Amino acid sequence: MSTHTSPPPMQESLLDVLGRKIFVAETGDGPPVLLLHGGGPGASGVSNYTRNIAELAKDHRVIVPDLPGYGRSTKGVDGTDPFGDLAAGIRGLLDELGLDKAHLVGNSYGGACALRLALDTPDRVDRMVLMGPGGIGTTRALPTPGLSSLLNYYSGDGPSRPKLEKFIRTHLVFNAADVPDSVIDARYEASIDPEVIAAPPLRRPSGPDALRTLWRMDFTRDARLARLPVPTLVLWGAADKVNRPSGGRMLADRMPNCDLYEVAGTGHWVQFERAGLFNRICADFLAGRR
């Protein structure tokens, strides 16, 4: 496996945001960029972007939160409007940090959070990079095997390390050997936090409003997408088994200011699997060089 630069020392804080705690790590100077992590079991901010932080921090103030429901942030997400709840939390974090506007980089669940924040308050987002974001065409096809595996982690016989390893090595990445055992160990330990088990942050909508929630969680049903002015770069692994790569074309067809880059031989974790490529393209895009 190729070598990767580890994250530099980061300033850590636990901030009060709209009645809950959000954990934030940051480093670097320059235009602010928030890195929003995915929603898999045991995910957290710094661990999801371990191969990207140092490179992006050369030219940016890199801010890496644990999304509500994850890591060291307050657990629990509003199941009737999860993307809206996440977006409200991150918008509140921008307020708490005194930032009128920032770049957003979001993978999967974090990509859905970024896109919802941009749709609700486009003036708060400078440029946006989305990697295999959630909520794209989800009402137009059955869930992928990868997404089903993710959503079933806490159901049935409950969470286990073999269950998590199967999801990561079989569904999350293209090359299973690219993920060290230590990453799976750390994510498994985080995934069995009693507070997370009591309120999993990513689950199938249920109850009487489930259909309304599902509809709201599909951005291709949102008319605002066609008017969104935020310059956006979509990166999608061509072998993504969690969110279908066809979602990239859906966004490019609907958004007026969207570049699409499909990455060959890559799964759902573009920023991890193809870190060198991602870091170069992302840095160029955020700097307005493309």
Side-chain angles (χ1 to χ4, degrees):
M1 186 175 70
S2 59
T3 57
H4 298 276
T5 306
S6 298
M10 304 186 75
Q11 179 183 339
E12 299 182 350
S13 50
L14 195 61
L15 301 177
D16 289 301
V17 178
L18 302 175
R20 56 188 168 190
K21 302 283 189 182
I22 293 186
F23 172 81
V24 177
E26 62 174 288
T27 186
D29 293 302
V33 54
L34 270 68
L35 307 184
L36 307 176
H37 64 81
S44 62
V46 173
S47 68
N48 265 213
Y49 289 99
T50 185
R51 297 180 175 181
N52 320 112
I53 292 167
E55 197 64 31
L56 293 177
K58 291 177 180 177
D59 297 304
H60 294 87
R61 176 186 175 188
V62 176
I63 301 163
V64 193
D66 288 347
L67 291 176
Y70 291 86
R72 287 183 258 182
S73 294
T74 298
K75 302 307 180 283
V77 173
D78 180 2
T80 65
D81 184 18
F83 298 161
D85 191 28
L86 293 178
I90 296 304
R91 187 166 43 249
L93 177 61
L94 291 177
D95 293 340
E96 190 67 27
L97 294 170
L99 298 174
D100 293 331
K101 181 178 273 198
H103 299 305
L104 299 181
V105 175
N107 174 228
S108 196
Y109 209 30
C113 169
L115 188 50
R116 178 62 182 271
L117 197 162
L119 287 168
D120 289 349
T121 47
D123 58 307
R124 305 301 298 273
V125 184
D126 196 344
R127 286 177 164 246
M128 182 164 59
V129 180
L130 307 174
M131 299 89 76
I136 311 302
T138 44
T139 61
R140 303 176 190 274
L142 293 172
T144 63
L147 185 58
S148 293
S149 173
L150 194 162
L151 292 170
N152 290 335
Y153 180 70
Y154 288 100
S155 61
D157 54 0
S160 68
R161 193 188 181 286
K163 207 171 180 181
L164 182 60
E165 181 166 23
K166 182 180 179 184
F167 165 69
I168 289 176
R169 297 203 190 280
T170 304
H171 299 294
L172 188 68
V173 297
F174 180 73
N175 178 12
D178 194 29
V179 183
D181 285 341
S182 58
V183 169
I184 295 170
D185 291 339
R187 286 190 60 154
Y188 174 63
E189 288 303 316
S191 79
I192 56 172
D193 179 322
E195 290 187 356
V196 176
I197 291 175
L202 183 59
R203 48 185 154 181
R204 285 187 174 88
S206 59
D209 293 325
L211 284 177
R212 184 180 174 203
T213 298
L214 282 167
W215 201 266
R216 183 190 283 167
M217 291 176 70
D218 186 349
F219 293 110
T220 67
R221 305 287 185 184
D222 193 327
R224 297 177 298 172
L225 203 59
R227 304 188 299 270
L228 186 63
V230 175
T232 301
L233 169 64
V234 174
L235 293 142
W236 216 301
D240 191 332
K241 296 178 185 175
V242 177
N243 292 332
R244 289 181 177 86
S246 57
R249 189 72 259 164
M250 290 183 186
L251 285 176
D253 286 344
R254 287 166 173 79
M255 298 174 73
N257 202 359
C258 176
D259 289 347
L260 173 61
Y261 193 114
E262 191 167 292
V263 189
T266 306
H268 188 55
W269 230 9
V270 174
Q271 81 281 6
F272 186 90
E273 298 177 69
R274 298 291 297 277
L277 173 73
F278 171 84
N279 292 340
R280 289 191 301 274
I281 293 175
C282 186
D284 280 349
F285 181 79
L286 295 181
R289 293 192 290 264
R290 56 176 287 130

